[in-house]
Amino acid sequence: MVNLPRSNKPPAGGVKITASEQEFIRQRILTHANLNYAGKFTRLDIRFRGPLVTIDAYREPQPPYPELLVFRGETSEQFYEKMRKLPTHLCRLRHFRGDRWAVAFYRYSTESYTPCMVGDGWFVTLEAGFDIGAVYLES
């Protein structure tokens, strides 16, 4: 294992997001998402825990093939009901001082969040962090 200088390691820790900051952050995310990704999600679920903000999106499902419904033993209504409740995990943002955020991208292959190094380091703005996870909205 290579020992990297501390500044090159993925960030941990962070600054707890206070209750008074949460609504401001939620509105910033929603404003950015609605301006740049309108029509690509039906709603966002934005959750706070300590220094973390986890963002999931919900989307309208694509129409199923009839063979899929037979295979699953579902009606199209049952299929749509289940799929509308299925979140698309976008990202987890870790707050540091000011507008410094570290972003972790959700990897479906491991079902976990993995810190991302972007540009010239680990830190991004809140909106840039959302944009990284929003790649899942493009598919």
Side-chain angles (χ1 to χ4, degrees):
M1 180 173 170
V2 176
N3 286 327
L4 298 173
R6 184 162 178 76
S7 62
N8 291 334
K9 290 184 179 177
V15 178
K16 182 178 180 183
I17 301 167
T18 66
S20 62
E21 295 172 309
Q22 290 179 10
E23 188 56 32
F24 175 73
I25 291 167
R26 183 184 317 279
Q27 287 308 313
R28 268 184 69 184
I29 292 168
L30 291 172
T31 298
H32 180 73
N34 287 322
L35 285 173
N36 295 284
Y37 301 96
K40 298 192 180 206
F41 60 92
T42 55
R43 71 181 175 92
L44 295 178
D45 184 17
I46 303 168
R47 297 179 310 282
F48 297 88
R49 183 174 179 193
L52 303 175
V53 179
T54 304
I55 306 171
D56 293 338
Y58 292 83
R59 303 189 290 175
E60 186 62 26
Q62 297 293 321
Y65 292 107
E67 298 84 7
L68 178 63
L69 294 176
V70 170
F71 176 77
R72 292 175 63 149
E74 295 176 332
T75 65
S76 59
E77 292 80 17
Q78 291 169 326
F79 172 83
Y80 281 114
E81 184 178 336
K82 282 184 184 178
M83 296 305 289
R84 286 181 181 126
K85 293 178 183 176
L86 186 66
T88 300
H89 304 300
L90 300 182
C91 62
R92 184 177 66 201
L93 302 165
R94 184 179 298 271
H95 183 239
F96 290 86
R97 300 241 180 257
D99 196 24
R100 288 172 49 101
W101 296 84
V103 62
F105 188 73
Y106 190 81
R107 294 176 57 189
Y108 278 87
S109 60
T110 61
E111 297 184 351
S112 63
Y113 290 95
T114 302
C116 299
M117 182 179 265
V118 292
D120 59 354
W122 292 106
F123 299 105
V124 295
T125 65
L126 182 62
E127 292 81 3
F130 180 87
D131 290 341
I132 290 168
V135 69
Y136 285 127
L137 296 176
E138 302 297 329
S139 58

